[in-house]
Amino acid sequence: MVAPDDNLEKGAHEIMKGNMKEIIVRGKKVKVPFEDADYRLDGKQDVTIQNPFSGEKATVPGYAAAVYDVIKGAEVTHHYDMVQKGCDWFSRNFPKQYMVLLD
């Protein structure tokens, strides 16, 4: 196990494993799809996100909001492989929120 990074909040240690990254959220390992996303909010703080098209809102843990941010940025920069990877992760881990925010 890697020691906590000074840039991350306590409890969000990083463990690198292939193309997936694991963070520790409330004492549990959570696999997240992007190595470079800012997961510092981890699971301690929920974030409410509004769909820019429908106006509907969904609440997700901070680490899921970081994945959402990467997806939206990848859409703008036309990195559709990243969009797909993030959407696949989001739909498996947060299906209801995925339907509101990304479907």
Side-chain angles (χ1 to χ4, degrees):
M1 186 179 216
V2 177
D5 184 328
D6 290 338
N7 295 325
L8 296 175
E9 290 181 11
K10 185 178 178 183
H13 327 305
E14 298 178 310
I15 303 168
M16 301 306 296
K17 289 194 175 183
N19 288 342
M20 292 292 278
K21 176 178 184 174
E22 287 185 353
I23 59 174
I24 306 298
V25 179
R26 299 179 185 166
K28 294 183 180 181
K29 291 180 183 179
V30 176
K31 289 184 180 182
V32 289
F34 305 114
E35 292 182 19
D36 296 333
D38 185 357
Y39 297 110
R40 286 181 285 180
L41 288 176
D42 65 46
K44 296 176 186 174
Q45 182 176 353
D46 288 339
V47 177
T48 300
I49 303 169
Q50 183 173 2
N51 181 311
F53 304 106
S54 70
E56 289 183 87
K57 296 179 182 179
T59 301
V60 297
Y63 67 90
V67 173
Y68 175 83
D69 288 344
V70 172
I71 292 167
K72 297 311 275 182
E75 286 177 342
V76 171
T77 59
H78 307 285
H79 287 94
Y80 298 115
D81 55 333
M82 290 179 71
V83 172
Q84 189 62 53
K85 182 178 181 180
C87 285
D88 289 347
W89 178 90
F90 221 99
S91 67
R92 282 192 311 276
N93 292 281
F94 296 94
K96 291 178 183 175
Q97 294 89 336
Y98 170 82
M99 295 300 289
V100 170
L101 299 173
L102 296 163
D103 188 41

